[in-house]
Amino acid sequence: MGLTLHYRLTAPEGCTARRAAALVRRLHAIASGWAADGRVVSVDPIMSDRAMLDRFGTAWRTVPHPDDPETSVGVAIRPEAGWIFPVDFGADCEWFWLGLCRYPASVAMGGRDRATRLGGRWQFAFFCKTQYASLRGWENFVRCHVGAVELLGEWRKLGGRVKISDEGGYWPRRDLATLRKNLDRMNGIVAAFAGAVKDATEGDDRSPVQSPIFAHPQFERLEAEGETANADAVAAAVKAISSLGGAGKTDEG
């Protein structure tokens, strides 16, 4: 759980491997320039080794289970090749991964080949949870969330296409007021849920509840507002978790 920016980069039609690599190098140079100007904290080198591509470049497709058509299963689609790199926008924000990968046209599953719908074009899809950058204040959060959207805009200038799904509501109208409203709402939901579960399980033999939201300087206000706005949902969630006989981390953070 957490306010997240989802995105997909796509190379121009007919892009060759050589050109794809060059485009990633140009985007990396832009990001590195931002680091030199202090707009981001750091930019790591471009990576193309199998371990990193599998870890950060693997795509997924949901298909019917081969033995039970009424249920679904996730199929891993590992990239055949690619170039990726991370950008560190600021404290408590997830790293922002960028690049391009090429995927197979089909993958084997259950004794048959299934189309991936990803073959034929260089692309890269990922997400970045920015919410907890707000633990360091609004300005740090804006630097991370808005900065990520702006860096994606640089990809368009290079001739690529970008699809953005912004849970904060900042994109596509660049609406800071909406972003602030949604951030406060999401922080309130997480604070209310985490606080309620912590109170309900504190003092027993269960693992202590952990969540980054506890470190927010305005946690008490957010918790109170979240409880008021989501009382029924919070109560239901606490009841369900209490019935399981255990509690742990309420958020991956």
Side-chain angles (χ1 to χ4, degrees):
M1 178 183 290
L3 190 149
T4 302
L5 191 68
H6 303 261
Y7 52 95
R8 179 183 296 275
L9 306 181
T10 305
E13 191 74 37
C15 186
T16 64
R18 183 175 180 179
R19 186 181 178 194
L23 286 170
V24 174
R25 287 195 297 270
R26 291 176 65 185
L27 185 61
H28 185 268
I30 292 170
S32 298
W34 284 28
D37 293 339
R39 297 179 66 179
V40 303
V41 175
S42 63
V43 180
D44 272 17
I46 296 173
M47 309 169 196
S48 60
D49 59 281
R50 174 49 49 193
M52 297 305 290
L53 290 179
D54 283 351
R55 182 176 179 183
F56 295 103
T58 294
W60 293 85
R61 184 185 167 197
T62 301
V63 300
H65 193 284
D67 300 323
D68 184 4
E70 298 301 318
T71 62
S72 299
V73 62
V75 178
I77 307 171
R78 293 180 173 81
E80 297 175 328
W83 302 270
I84 57 176
F85 65 92
V87 178
D88 181 2
F89 269 97
D92 294 309
C93 178
E94 288 186 339
W95 278 36
F96 190 66
W97 285 84
L98 297 165
L100 287 174
C101 291
R102 184 183 63 213
Y103 297 89
S106 63
V107 292
M109 180 186 173
R112 59 174 291 190
D113 286 340
R114 291 188 178 272
T116 64
R117 302 174 187 171
L118 296 175
R121 174 168 288 190
W122 290 90
Q123 57 191 292
F124 180 75
F126 212 75
F127 60 88
C128 177
K129 186 187 299 182
T130 60
Q131 178 175 344
Y132 297 117
S134 66
L135 300 179
R136 306 300 181 99
W138 169 248
E139 291 185 359
N140 185 65
F141 171 77
V142 169
R143 168 182 172 169
C144 297
H145 192 93
V146 174
V149 172
E150 291 178 348
L151 187 54
L152 290 173
E154 295 295 331
W155 181 249
R156 285 194 178 92
K157 295 178 183 178
L158 295 176
R161 293 195 306 177
V162 183
K163 182 178 180 181
I164 301 174
S165 177
D166 182 1
E167 294 180 1
Y170 172 75
W171 179 262
R173 297 183 178 180
R174 291 185 167 84
D175 189 339
L176 282 174
T178 296
L179 179 61
R180 183 90 189 230
K181 178 181 177 180
N182 287 332
L183 173 65
D184 286 346
R185 177 182 60 82
M186 185 60 75
N187 275 340
I189 291 172
V190 175
F193 177 74
V197 174
K198 182 175 184 294
D199 291 343
T201 58
E202 205 164 34
D204 57 24
D205 295 330
R206 308 178 190 187
S207 300
V209 174
Q210 301 176 39
S211 175
I213 199 66
F214 290 134
H216 198 291
Q218 299 181 31
F219 173 77
E220 289 79 8
R221 174 185 67 81
L222 293 168
E223 182 183 25
E225 292 176 354
E227 288 177 347
T228 300
N230 307 277
D232 291 343
V234 170
V238 170
K239 182 178 179 180
I241 288 178
S242 297
S243 69
L244 296 176
K249 291 186 177 181
T250 64
D251 193 284
E252 295 179 358

